[in-house]
Amino acid sequence: MLTLLTITAALAQSTPQTTHLQFPTERIKPDFSLAETDHGTQNIVNGWTTSDYAAVGSLVAVYEEGVHSFCSGTLVTSNSVLTAAHCVEGMEELMEYDGFEGFVFVFGTDLSDEGVDDWAIITEGMIHPEYSRYSLEWDLGMVVLDQDITTTTPMCVNTAPIDDEWLGNEVDYVGWGMADDELWESSGIKRTVSIPIEGYNETHLITYDEDANVCNGDSGGAAIVEREDGTRMVAGVNSYVFSIYGEAASCGREGAAGAAARTDTAMDWIRS
């Protein structure tokens, strides 16, 4: 089992309370033909592109000059998307850039006219009340869409407690992020990779494969497990990467591991 690096930053002390953010609700029309994506890159980090996992989509910021995929998320009800708290938190900063028009959630395979199957405006964001931006504990967020989605079936959320029996089992990570730390143009394409669970704590499950990992932009995406009956469930939300050697975090560097925020220990909030 991996030993998760100790985070020494002090936690913010405050009364736990869900943070609500409101976003522009006027109707916007994103121009996906302006998105910069590179289909020549095949990986999350050594993963593969996919048209599967229809409920996993991309959080996209819309600007006058184009669109930018910045995080991933999973449709869990007809109009709500489970994502990472740090993704919702970061949306405030994205609103400050020139030409900002709004946020949309995109379904499909990539940010192109041909790759987008459906999209909806994001009207509201919520952050888990115990989320810490320093340690990334309880890194869970939710965004609300302006309409019910009828073209995609929401994915089930895992409620079964994660224990030692999960160790060694693989999760399928799905996200729209980068294939490497330096390949910004490779974001905006849905990819997946299977990585075994190597550890867990109260808030995160830990995964490690010496050749594969998640990367920037995959944050908020799904760590998926499959039940014996074939039902897929979101067991975790892609949260962060770290080095098992204590070095600077990097998606593809030797010793890079991933952490996904657990859903089973946060179901009271997810259901609320």
Side-chain angles (χ1 to χ4, degrees):
M1 184 186 302
L2 294 180
T3 301
L4 183 61
L5 300 180
T6 302
I7 306 295
T8 58
L11 303 182
Q13 300 296 318
S14 62
T15 302
Q17 182 175 339
T18 296
T19 300
H20 291 261
L21 301 174
Q22 299 293 326
F23 305 120
T25 57
E26 65 268 18
R27 197 68 196 172
I28 56 176
K29 178 63 176 177
D31 186 352
F32 297 113
S33 67
L34 299 177
E36 295 184 3
T37 56
D38 181 4
H39 288 268
T41 54
Q42 298 299 315
N43 314 322
I44 286 186
V45 174
N46 291 329
W48 51 90
T49 59
T50 181
S51 58
D52 202 354
Y53 310 99
V56 182
S58 177
L59 278 70
V60 175
V62 181
Y63 297 92
E64 292 175 359
E65 73 278 8
V67 296
H68 171 58
S69 173
F70 63 92
C71 270
S72 305
T74 306
L75 188 73
V76 292
T77 74
S78 61
N79 73 333
S80 61
V81 172
L82 183 64
T83 186
H86 74 264
C87 290
V88 179
E89 184 179 49
M91 293 166 81
E92 286 189 294
E93 180 179 349
L94 292 173
M95 293 172 64
E96 300 300 319
Y97 288 96
D98 292 340
F100 174 78
E101 295 183 351
F103 296 110
V104 296
F105 187 70
V106 172
F107 301 90
T109 58
D110 63 75
L111 291 188
S112 68
D113 288 333
E114 298 77 17
V116 173
D117 295 332
D118 199 1
W119 60 274
I121 291 176
I122 297 172
T123 63
E124 183 181 358
M126 291 163 283
I127 296 174
H128 191 285
E130 296 182 79
Y131 163 67
S132 168
R133 70 179 60 176
Y134 305 106
S135 67
L136 292 180
E137 291 179 310
W138 305 104
D139 190 13
L140 295 160
M142 195 81 72
V143 295
V144 179
L145 308 180
D146 71 334
Q147 59 185 289
D148 289 332
I149 301 300
T150 60
T151 56
T152 301
T153 302
M155 187 172 288
C156 298
V157 179
N158 174 62
T159 61
I162 293 175
D163 56 26
D164 288 353
E165 293 186 1
W166 288 59
L167 299 179
N169 294 333
E170 289 188 338
V171 298
D172 293 333
Y173 277 117
V174 185
W176 291 59
M178 294 163 55
D180 186 86
D181 288 301
E182 305 300 327
L183 295 176
W184 285 102
E185 73 277 7
S186 66
S187 64
I189 301 172
K190 184 161 63 175
R191 299 180 176 86
T192 184
V193 67
S194 299
I195 302 179
I197 299 172
E198 294 289 343
Y200 62 92
N201 56 36
E202 181 184 10
T203 62
H204 286 81
L205 59 86
I206 310 302
T207 60
Y208 176 69
D209 184 299
E210 62 182 9
D211 296 317
N213 204 3
V214 290
C215 200
N216 301 315
D218 294 318
S219 287
I224 298 170
V225 296
E226 188 170 317
R227 293 195 305 209
E228 292 183 0
D229 63 3
T231 302
R232 289 171 171 170
M233 300 179 297
V234 184
V237 173
N238 302 347
S239 180
Y240 62 90
V241 298
F242 67 97
S243 170
I244 64 174
Y245 302 129
E247 301 171 348
S250 175
C251 306
R253 182 179 297 174
E254 182 181 357
R262 291 171 57 175
T263 59
D264 61 299
T265 53
M267 284 308 301
D268 288 344
W269 181 80
I270 292 172
R271 289 179 175 136
S272 64

